[in-house]
Amino acid sequence: MTWSAEMDEILLDAFVAEDEKGNRHDGTWTSTTFDNIVKECVEKFGHVIDKENVKNRQRTLKTNFAACYDAFRGHSGFAWNPESQLFEAELEVWKEIIEANSNAAKWRYTRIQNYDKLERLFAKDRAKGKGAVSAKEKSRQWREEENVDLTNSSIHEVESPDICVEPNSNSPTYASKKQIEIINLGIIGVADALKEGNAIAKEGLLIAERKVALAEKSRPRIYSEEELVVELQNIGVPSTLFVNVVLYFLKNPVEMRAFFALPSPMRLEMIYKLVFDTNKGADI
């Protein structure tokens, strides 16, 4: 049996109505509750549904809610959006919640339908500490739930509330609900880590690029022999001085940078100053 989103909503509405009638005592539903809900579901779904189908689906919805509710317990600054069916919070709030409980990362991207109704039905049990059992006890409960599902040929749901997967009856084994939940959480955790890692890598690359640009900007310009020859020709250095001027500048790169730093009309003047300067003339 596959449960659609519409069927889930009808089922939860029926549980809310039974709760309002007082058919739950100390967190336990009366047998009348399930009789009434089965009757209503059969009428609205238009096909056969029994009490075990209802109990199994209620158990799955409650488990999904518990995982979500416990992830956010004790935190503020977030809210469930009934339109997107996602929890919304500022990035800093998400970081705080995820640091406190890594399982909360799942709920940044996983929808949970009818959270307001689930909270009304099951939050009181979580607040009282029901379900706060040991890992060994949880394992036993999960095995019992799976056995009930198999005995009644019920659907085996992925822990994402709006996705259902029909079990393959021909396969000797298939993943349990909790195994699937762990896989889902693992995938989401890896995705978050990759996103965060990509952001850090991108930021590091930008910093490195800025450093290279600054280094290039501060590095002294090195002029080639070809650039020097072309410029000497452009400013009209006499042929009798040409070779000596080239050799001089190649031996004195600091002065060659000074030569290129000058405006073009002043470069020839610098060469004549070097030629006729008493100290420099001998070098040229």
Side-chain angles (χ1 to χ4, degrees), residues 61-221:
L61 293 173
K62 187 174 182 179
T63 300
N64 291 332
F65 166 77
C68 183
Y69 181 83
D70 290 350
F72 292 97
R73 184 185 296 188
H75 296 280
S76 59
F78 64 92
W80 178 73
N81 187 329
E83 293 184 3
S84 65
Q85 299 173 356
L86 291 168
F87 277 93
E88 297 177 353
E90 297 293 333
L91 180 59
E92 291 302 318
V93 175
W94 274 116
K95 287 182 178 179
E96 177 186 338
I97 293 173
I98 293 171
E99 282 181 6
N101 185 348
S102 59
N103 292 336
K106 167 183 177 178
W107 301 105
R108 288 188 68 183
Y109 311 105
T110 303
R111 295 185 300 157
I112 179 166
Q113 299 170 340
N114 304 302
Y115 184 83
D116 49 347
K117 297 172 185 176
L118 292 167
E119 187 175 30
R120 170 174 178 169
L121 291 171
F122 306 126
K124 189 178 296 184
D125 291 345
R126 306 305 299 174
K128 289 180 178 179
K130 287 192 175 184
V133 296
S134 65
K136 183 176 180 181
E137 178 63 15
K138 284 184 179 180
S139 177
R140 183 190 64 78
Q141 290 176 356
W142 293 337
R143 289 197 301 272
E144 288 179 355
E145 290 176 10
E146 291 164 11
N147 291 336
V148 171
D149 286 344
L150 290 172
T151 302
N152 294 282
S153 301
S154 301
I155 183 143
H156 216 61
E157 296 90 350
V158 177
E159 285 301 304
S160 178
D162 55 341
I163 302 176
C164 296
V165 177
E166 187 70 28
N168 181 0
S169 58
N170 296 323
S171 175
T173 59
Y174 55 87
S176 70
K177 289 186 287 185
K178 284 303 164 182
Q179 288 171 327
I180 295 173
E181 180 184 7
I182 292 170
I183 293 171
N184 285 345
L185 292 176
I187 292 172
I188 292 169
V190 169
D192 285 344
L194 288 174
K195 287 181 181 179
E196 186 174 352
N198 289 340
I200 293 172
K202 186 175 181 180
E203 184 179 355
L205 181 61
L206 291 174
I207 293 173
E209 288 176 348
R210 285 197 293 268
K211 288 183 178 179
V212 170
L214 289 173
E216 291 291 338
K217 189 174 181 180
S218 61
R219 183 183 301 168
R221 168 73 186 277

Side-chain angles (χ1 to χ4, degrees), residues 46-62:
H47 55 76
V48 177
I49 183 172
D50 59 31
K51 189 179 296 186
E52 290 303 322
N53 296 142
V54 171
K55 287 184 177 180
N56 288 339
R57 188 56 180 171
Q58 183 226 16
R59 186 182 296 111
T60 297
L61 293 173
K62 187 174 182 179

Side-chain angles (χ1 to χ4, degrees), residues 1 6 25-26 43 63 73 107 147-148 210 217 251 257 267 280:
M1 174 174 182
E6 182 182 2
H25 305 291
D26 195 24
E43 291 176 356
T63 300
R73 184 185 296 188
W107 301 105
N147 291 336
V148 171
R210 285 197 293 268
K217 189 174 181 180
K251 289 190 295 182
R257 286 198 301 274
R267 292 174 182 174
K280 299 294 183 182

Side-chain angles (χ1 to χ4, degrees), residues 265-284:
M266 298 178 64
R267 292 174 182 174
L268 186 59
E269 181 182 346
M270 176 181 179
I271 289 174
Y272 280 114
K273 180 174 176 59
L274 292 174
V275 171
F276 295 110
D277 184 86
T278 305
N279 297 325
K280 299 294 183 182
D283 296 333
I284 296 180

